[in-house]
Amino acid sequence: MAVLALFLTWRIKHKNEDAIWLWGMSVVCELWFAFSWLLDQLPKLCPVNRATDLAVLKEKFEMATPYNPTGKSDLPGIDVFVSTADPEKEPVLVTANTILSILAADYPLEKLACYVSDDGGALLTFEAMAEAASFAYTWVPFCRKHGIEPRNPESYFSSKKDPYKNKVRSDFVKDRRRAKREYDEFKVRINGLPDSIRRRSDAFHAREEIKAMNLQREKAGDDPVEPVKIPKATWMADGTHWPGTWINPSAEHSRGDHAGIIQVMLKPPSDEPLYGNNDEKSPLDFTDVDIRLPMLVYVSREKRPGYDHNKKAGAMNALVRASAIMSNGPFILNLDCDHYIYNSQALREGMCFMMDRGGDRICYVQFPQRFEGIDPSDRYANNNTVFFDVNMRALDGLQGPVYVGTGCLFRRIALYGFDPPRAKEHSAGCCSCCLPRKRKPRAAANSEETRALRMGDYDDDEMNMSTFPKKFGNSSFLIDSIPIAEFQGRPLADHPSVKNGRPPGALTVPRDLLDASTVAEAISVISCWYEEKTEWGQRVGWIYGSVTEDVVTGYRMHNRGWKSVYCVTKRDAFRGTAPINLTDRLHQVLRWATGSVEIFFSRNNAFLASPRMKFLQRVAYLNVGIYPFTSVFLIVYCFLPALSLFSGQFIVQTLSVTFLTYLLIITLTLCLLAILEIRWSGIELEEWWRNEQFWVIGGTSAHLAAVMQGLLKVIAGIEISFTLTSKSAGDDDDDEFADLYVVKWTSLMIPPVTIIMLNLIAIAVGVSRTIYSVLPQWSKLLGGVFFSFWVLAHLYPFAKGLMGRRGRTPTIIYVWSGLVAITISLLVVAINPPAGANSQIGGSFSFP
């Protein structure tokens, strides 16, 4: 920082009088880069590494104690949300594998519930989930019996690791072979669902047309009968119309116009273990294996024309309300449909932080995102290792990491918009959701729990129960569930230092069974009108108004004084997929950057943060909103070497010893900082370099477009729409990275292509100009060429992506490109010859 300040001071004082315009542009860009660099570095001053002890968690919550003589699990419940919207871009087989990994997670299954949000209302997704629920009766007990990892069947069976390592049971080989056969049959059924649904619908439609024709003939008698046209519906297997989106959309059956649907695929399990036996009907021997399954619920919220459904954020809020009524787990884990549980104990790892002393002030535990299917060189920095292993772990030493949209374990009460407890001690508001009510909370387990709900020092003004309908809607089921969720989410009061705790053994009682009235109430709270005149999306739940609703939701929690925690497990907690195609990657980055621009121009700007947010945390959020604007200065800076070579000038008067010394020291300090980050974070040097390269690629393409789109929305009110990122693999079955080489043109590529071409031409022009000059200025050429190569080195992965698969680009393309560059360079020299050049060169070329 000191050297940077001295260098910038020197640059401002020492102008280049020969090219003041070049000097001015470079200094402005360097000042902004210094400011941006500070925003990025300051939040890294307090990095931490955390570790969990699962043995202690088991000892405290799942061992027999005087308060819990039966040894039943005293862990709180977790509701897992899986979101999907389009079965074509998000294949149902991928979603089904994610569901199976959740159902097989190593967590008390009576405390676990899985909710699948199908925002497209597709029968294909519905029937795929039904198939997954059926296959789970084989897969989940198999995983428990043999300790399978990972518990995603597709990943497990396609793994190249030795599946028999550390397996001691003699029947493992037989069981694995049978499970593999069952899974292959399951895949065949899943892949055949689209044709099956279409054939079934066609058959039912033909039957309905025949019925209608016969009825019309009976009424018409001998009169001629006109052909009957009836809507071509999508039919379920039970012979009824699918209430969601039809294959051939029609009124009340399209993606934006359909009824709300809730279907319990797997009912809540019994409280006592249910062991299998060696039954001939069972494909595997599950003797002494608990064969119960967690609850699985399919949800598709109601959609009607004229309502703003708020995309993923609206779908998540619908799940929050429905789950509060049906299971009311005090903690919520949200996953994208392509992010599955890779570590079966990941939920327990997250619960270690929530149940620790002081854990009641943690709003969420964010896990790093890990990806599969990325090309070995990670050409476009898809793994984002610098962000997840450096920036996020650094934020963990402040107020906590930002929420990144998936792999996050939330405290339900924090999502409800309440402030953290012990507000007066921490100079923040409190969570007063446990004020006494005149009537007993609906699902209170016993009188001790009810008394606990009414204890604590809470601010009556902050939490007035009479305002709950205005905040959360008029569902009494939902309102009654709020204090119960708060109580069940508290740490154990097993030590005098634990404040706002719950008594041990309070969560060992069975939970209420589902009945028809409960499901009916859950359907009512996912209606499109329920959120009207409430605070859903404004203060409660996922926040609306941004394409990056995840960052805004986490920001609001930190702004109220909550803390978050970053949980890096030894074995990856979750794994997912990421787009490896250049165009898809640029569009993904465009969506993120546009959301950041929206945040900057909204009330969620870090400049407007409350005093409850720590200063460095505020700096981190400020960087989130500002980083896309760096693209404007970055593009100018990438054009500077070309302009320098074309004009024969440089950003400084001469390459003096002072300038070169500053440049050397800054380069060395930046290298040392990079080495420091690499050492403590454990990432590879190549990963760090890929991140630097894609920072330039994204900054010269997607980030600039994001700034323009954000400004259009703020100034002209033009709404921004994005297509869903495809989770499907490439079409080439022989090459899993075939999608990497597909070139799909997009306007985002124009700026980087222009920069590459101009810099290549400029190098040729500069070299030609210097060679033909009587008094060649090699220092300026050296500076410009080095500058250009710096730009081209960062854009190399982009250029490689444009070339497609290795060997598929004809050699003549390179020949033509070279000839064009040489021709243009000679033309520039001919039009603007260097001063003092000979009138003739070689006796054959004359210049005016």
Side-chain angles (χ1 to χ4, degrees):
M1 289 170 63
V3 175
L4 191 60
L6 292 172
F7 171 70
L8 291 174
T9 303
W10 181 89
R11 287 279 284 123
I12 293 172
K13 290 182 177 180
H14 293 75
K15 302 178 182 179
N16 183 359
E17 300 294 346
D18 296 335
I20 197 70
W21 57 276
L22 201 60
W23 169 86
M25 287 193 297
S26 64
V27 167
V28 170
C29 292
E30 288 162 6
L31 287 172
W32 179 268
F33 293 152
F35 171 67
S36 177
W37 178 81
L38 275 178
L39 292 182
D40 182 63
Q41 293 297 316
L42 287 177
K44 298 178 182 178
L45 295 178
C46 308
V48 297
N49 289 319
R50 301 181 186 272
T52 59
D53 193 333
L54 296 179
V56 174
L57 184 76
K58 184 176 181 64
E59 179 183 347
K60 290 185 65 174
F61 290 91
E62 297 183 302
M63 302 292 285
T65 64
Y67 299 100
N68 182 17
T70 61
K72 289 185 178 180
S73 176
D74 200 18
L75 287 169
I78 298 179
D79 293 338
V80 185
F81 294 172
V82 179
S83 58
T84 183
D86 188 341
E88 293 183 3
K89 293 187 176 180
E90 298 171 327
V92 290
L93 182 60
V94 174
T95 305
N97 273 277
T98 298
I99 301 303
L100 291 168
S101 73
I102 295 169
L103 298 178
D106 184 7
Y107 198 79
L109 53 93
E110 67 274 11
K111 306 291 183 75
L112 191 62
C114 179
Y115 294 84
V116 182
S117 170
D118 177 18
D119 219 28
L123 179 59
L124 175 58
T125 304
F126 178 87
E127 296 201 355
M129 295 306 100
E131 289 288 353
S134 176
F135 177 65
Y137 284 102
T138 299
W139 174 251
V140 174
F142 168 70
C143 292
R144 292 179 186 148
K145 179 180 179 180
H146 296 289
I148 300 300
E149 293 286 352
R151 299 190 175 182
N152 174 320
E154 182 68 26
S155 296
Y156 172 70
F157 288 121
S158 62
S159 175
K160 297 179 181 179
K161 297 179 180 179
D162 181 9
Y164 308 107
K165 186 178 181 180
N166 300 325
K167 296 294 183 284
V168 295
R169 298 188 66 127
S170 59
D171 57 352
F172 172 71
V173 176
K174 178 175 70 69
D175 285 356
R176 185 181 187 276
R177 187 181 299 116
R178 183 58 188 268
K180 178 67 165 60
R181 187 189 318 152
E182 293 285 333
Y183 178 63
D184 289 340
E185 294 175 359
F186 165 73
K187 286 203 297 184
V188 170
R189 293 195 299 271
I190 289 287
N191 294 330
L193 280 177
D195 290 337
S196 174
I197 294 172
R198 190 174 292 105
R199 288 196 303 268
R200 179 205 310 152
S201 298
D202 290 342
F204 276 113
H205 180 69
R207 188 191 67 178
E208 291 297 306
E209 282 188 333
I210 293 172
K211 285 184 178 180
M213 284 291 294
N214 292 337
L215 182 62
Q216 189 170 356
R217 285 172 181 169
E218 291 177 1
K219 293 181 179 180
D222 297 333
D223 296 334
V225 178
E226 295 182 359
V228 179
K229 292 183 179 181
I230 60 176
K232 193 171 184 180
T234 299
W235 292 77
M236 301 175 66
D238 61 358
T240 59
H241 283 180
W242 168 242
T245 303
W246 288 353
I247 298 174
N248 299 300
S250 65
E252 298 186 354
H253 292 285
S254 62
R255 290 180 61 86
D257 183 14
H258 61 78
I261 307 168
I262 290 182
Q263 177 65 47
V264 180
M265 299 287 187
L266 295 172
K267 295 181 180 180
S270 60
D271 190 52
E272 297 295 333
L274 178 63
Y275 296 104
N277 50 43
N278 192 9
D279 189 357
E280 293 182 356
K281 296 181 180 179
S282 176
L284 300 174
D285 180 8
F286 292 137
T287 304
D288 299 329
V289 178
D290 192 351
I291 60 174
R292 293 176 300 161
L293 298 178
M295 183 169 73
L296 174 62
V297 183
Y298 171 90
V299 180
S300 181
R301 58 178 172 148
E302 181 188 19
K303 287 187 174 182
R304 298 300 178 194
Y307 288 88
D308 185 357
H309 302 293
N310 296 294
K311 302 180 178 66
K312 180 181 176 180
M316 289 293 99
N317 285 339
L319 285 186
V320 171
R321 296 191 295 270
S323 64
I325 292 170
M326 299 181 71
S327 56
N328 198 30
F331 297 97
I332 293 172
L333 172 69
N334 92 285
L335 295 172
D336 287 344
C337 65
D338 62 322
H339 271 73
Y340 68 91
I341 297 180
Y342 186 76
N343 180 354
S344 63
Q345 293 191 322
L347 304 184
R348 293 177 179 271
E349 301 248 12
M351 204 54 63
C352 284
F353 296 106
M354 292 295 194
M355 294 292 101
D356 205 357
R357 295 173 189 172
D360 57 339
R361 290 183 56 82
I362 296 175
C363 57
Y364 62 81
V365 176
Q366 177 66 62
F367 294 85
Q369 291 186 24
R370 306 300 187 199
F371 302 101
E372 294 177 335
I374 305 297
D375 55 295
S377 63
D378 194 10
R379 182 186 293 178
Y380 306 123
N382 293 94
N383 284 313
N384 283 326
T385 48
V386 172
F387 174 75
F388 286 113
D389 292 325
V390 178
N391 299 66
M392 293 285 275
R393 289 165 78 177
L395 288 175
D396 202 14
L398 305 177
Q399 208 168 332
V402 298
Y403 167 43
V404 296
T406 184
C408 189
L409 181 66
F410 283 99
R411 184 177 299 276
R412 182 181 286 269
I413 211 68
L415 276 173
Y416 284 155
F418 296 124
D419 295 335
R422 297 185 299 285
K424 296 178 181 178
E425 298 178 19
H426 295 270
S427 300
C430 67
C431 177
S432 308
C433 52
C434 304
L435 285 175
R437 302 190 68 188
K438 292 184 179 179
R439 64 176 184 271
K440 179 181 177 181
R442 174 176 166 271
N446 49 45
S447 58
E448 182 179 22
E449 179 176 336
T450 306
R451 287 196 305 272
L453 289 170
R454 300 178 178 179
M455 294 169 58
D457 180 18
Y458 298 105
D459 186 355
D460 293 345
D461 295 332
E462 170 68 20
M463 180 56 58
N464 186 351
M465 297 293 287
S466 63
T467 64
F468 270 32
K470 182 178 180 181
K471 293 181 178 179
F472 303 103
N474 55 10
S475 171
S476 59
F477 284 64
L478 175 60
I479 292 173
D480 287 342
S481 72
I482 294 173
I484 299 169
E486 193 281 336
F487 170 78
Q488 294 182 351
R490 297 178 185 177
L492 287 184
D494 58 350
H495 191 272
S497 64
V498 177
K499 301 178 181 179
N500 194 39
R502 60 176 171 87
L507 302 186
T508 58
V509 294
R511 64 182 177 186
D512 296 341
L513 298 177
L514 287 177
D515 53 28
S517 62
T518 303
V519 177
E521 184 70 13
I523 292 177
S524 72
V525 300
I526 64 171
S527 62
C528 54
W529 51 263
Y530 185 83
E531 294 184 356
E532 289 185 345
K533 298 181 181 180
T534 68
E535 294 187 4
W536 286 99
Q538 308 302 319
R539 180 180 170 87
V540 178
W542 270 259
I543 305 302
Y544 302 154
S546 174
V547 295
T548 50
E549 72 287 331
D550 44 8
V551 177
V552 176
T553 301
Y555 167 82
R556 290 289 186 88
M557 294 181 183
H558 286 140
N559 203 34
R560 290 194 293 269
W562 288 95
K563 291 185 62 178
S564 61
V565 164
Y566 198 51
C567 181
V568 181
T569 56
K570 292 183 179 179
R571 177 184 174 87
D572 294 345
F574 310 101
R575 283 193 177 180
T577 59
I580 62 174
N581 179 264
L582 175 59
T583 302
D584 294 338
R585 175 71 164 136
L586 290 178
H587 283 142
Q588 182 187 57
V589 174
L590 172 63
R591 185 173 68 252
W592 296 342
T594 303
S596 294
V597 176
E598 288 178 337
I599 291 171
F600 182 79
F601 288 113
S602 71
R603 56 183 295 219
N604 300 307
N605 190 311
F607 284 122
L608 306 177
S610 73
R612 301 175 186 179
M613 184 178 290
K614 294 182 179 180
F615 172 73
L616 290 181
Q617 188 78 17
R618 189 187 303 240
V619 171
Y621 274 112
L622 183 62
N623 188 38
V624 168
I626 280 182
Y627 82 87
F629 295 95
T630 303
S631 62
V632 178
F633 303 91
L634 182 60
I635 283 189
V636 172
Y637 213 66
C638 287
F639 278 121
L640 284 183
L643 296 175
S644 174
L645 289 169
F646 282 136
S647 64
Q649 301 294 332
F650 195 51
I651 58 175
V652 293
Q653 190 86 28
T654 59
L655 294 180
S656 63
V657 175
T658 306
F659 173 76
L660 294 175
T661 302
Y662 274 127
L663 195 61
L664 177 62
I665 296 175
I666 290 175
T667 302
L668 289 176
T669 52
L670 289 176
C671 290
L672 290 173
L673 276 174
I675 293 172
L676 178 64
E677 289 184 356
I678 290 170
R679 294 285 293 176
W680 76 261
S681 65
I683 66 175
E684 300 291 335
L685 178 61
E686 184 180 5
E687 293 173 325
W688 180 88
W689 172 236
R690 283 284 182 260
N691 180 79
E692 293 296 304
Q693 287 179 311
F694 197 78
W695 176 77
V696 176
I697 294 171
T700 55
S701 56
H703 295 176
L704 181 65
V707 172
M708 294 178 179
Q709 289 186 349
L711 291 175
L712 284 175
K713 181 177 181 180
V714 172
I715 298 172
I718 300 176
E719 287 297 325
I720 305 165
S721 61
F722 292 95
T723 57
L724 193 66
T725 302
S726 176
K727 273 80 174 180
S728 59
D731 297 332
D732 191 347
D733 296 332
D734 298 330
D735 186 356
E736 61 177 317
F737 306 123
D739 206 34
L740 178 69
Y741 309 110
V742 177
V743 180
K744 295 183 283 188
W745 179 257
T746 172
S747 58
L748 297 177
M749 296 179 177
I750 295 176
V753 168
T754 305
I755 291 172
I756 292 173
M757 293 298 295
L758 277 181
N759 276 278
L760 288 173
I761 295 171
I763 291 174
V765 170
V767 172
S768 301
R769 182 189 300 277
T770 306
I771 291 175
Y772 296 154
S773 178
V774 176
L775 298 174
Q777 297 182 357
W778 293 103
S779 62
K780 292 183 179 180
L781 174 67
L782 185 62
V785 170
F786 174 79
F787 205 176
S788 286
F789 272 118
W790 177 87
V791 173
L792 294 173
H794 282 79
L795 292 175
Y796 172 71
F798 175 85
K800 196 173 181 180
L802 291 182
M803 296 177 186
R805 189 184 296 272
R806 299 181 186 90
R808 290 191 177 181
T809 304
T811 308
I812 192 64
I813 297 296
Y814 302 108
V815 176
W816 286 345
S817 300
L819 289 174
V820 170
I822 294 172
T823 303
I824 293 177
S825 64
L826 292 174
L827 182 62
V828 171
V829 174
I831 294 174
N832 184 22
N838 294 331
S839 59
Q840 292 186 344
I841 301 177
S844 58
F845 289 95
S846 297
F847 294 90

